[in-house]
Amino acid sequence: MNSMNDTGVVAGPAAGRTSRTHRLRRLAGTGFIATLAAMVVTTLAAALARAVGVDFEVPDGGETIPLSGFAVVTGFFSVVGIVIAVALLRWSARPAKRFVWTAVSLTAISLVPPLLSGANTATTTALLGLHLVPATVMIPALARSLRTRTD
């Protein structure tokens, strides 16, 4: 590399591909950390609601939702959100904007089942709030990771 003919050009992966791979890894890492945070915060909020008297009994089947159920469902749907974010990063010109619209719309739709569950008012109100808790963790975290200078 000390010859007079050295142009200083180094062969390597295309800059766009490296940048996209870096953004994808950053998005996945942020999503994983946000998912863990959403699971913990949602489970703690459910435990707090249970401590103040919310029974989380859903009349259809008469079963009580266990605290671990909140963590599992939050984790599953948070991963779904990450998959949506990754798809938008790959195929959308404005992934952050599209993600926020999609995630807010899906969050609004997720509020319907608690309203139709037939549970008592305290359980229904708690379930509605517990749908919003992980959304307030996941949506901003993933949207920030998706932002570009043009968004």
Side-chain angles (χ1 to χ4, degrees):
M1 296 295 265
N2 290 332
S3 75
M4 298 295 269
N5 295 330
D6 187 18
T7 60
V9 176
V10 178
R17 182 180 171 116
T18 303
S19 175
R20 187 178 330 153
T21 301
H22 176 70
R23 287 186 71 198
L24 179 63
R25 286 183 181 164
R26 185 182 70 193
L27 176 63
T30 299
F32 176 73
I33 291 167
T35 296
L36 292 176
M39 291 170 67
V40 168
V41 172
T42 302
T43 304
L44 288 174
L48 180 62
R50 181 162 285 157
V52 297
V54 178
D55 61 11
F56 291 116
E57 184 177 323
V58 181
D60 188 23
E63 296 198 20
T64 300
I65 302 169
L67 288 179
S68 61
F70 292 104
V72 169
V73 172
T74 299
F76 176 79
F77 284 105
S78 294
V79 170
V80 169
I82 296 168
V83 170
I84 292 169
V86 166
L88 290 170
L89 179 63
R90 171 68 177 96
W91 290 297
S92 177
R94 295 192 173 279
K97 186 175 185 176
R98 300 283 185 257
F99 176 76
V100 170
W101 278 103
T102 302
V104 169
S105 298
L106 291 173
T107 301
I109 291 168
S110 80
L111 298 176
V112 173
L115 294 171
L116 300 177
S117 70
N120 64 38
T121 303
T123 297
T124 300
T125 303
L127 288 173
L128 291 171
L130 290 172
H131 277 79
L132 299 176
V133 168
T136 60
V137 173
M138 294 301 297
I139 295 172
L142 293 174
R144 256 191 314 274
S145 289
L146 290 169
R147 287 217 197 294
T148 63
R149 291 182 191 159
T150 60
D151 277 344

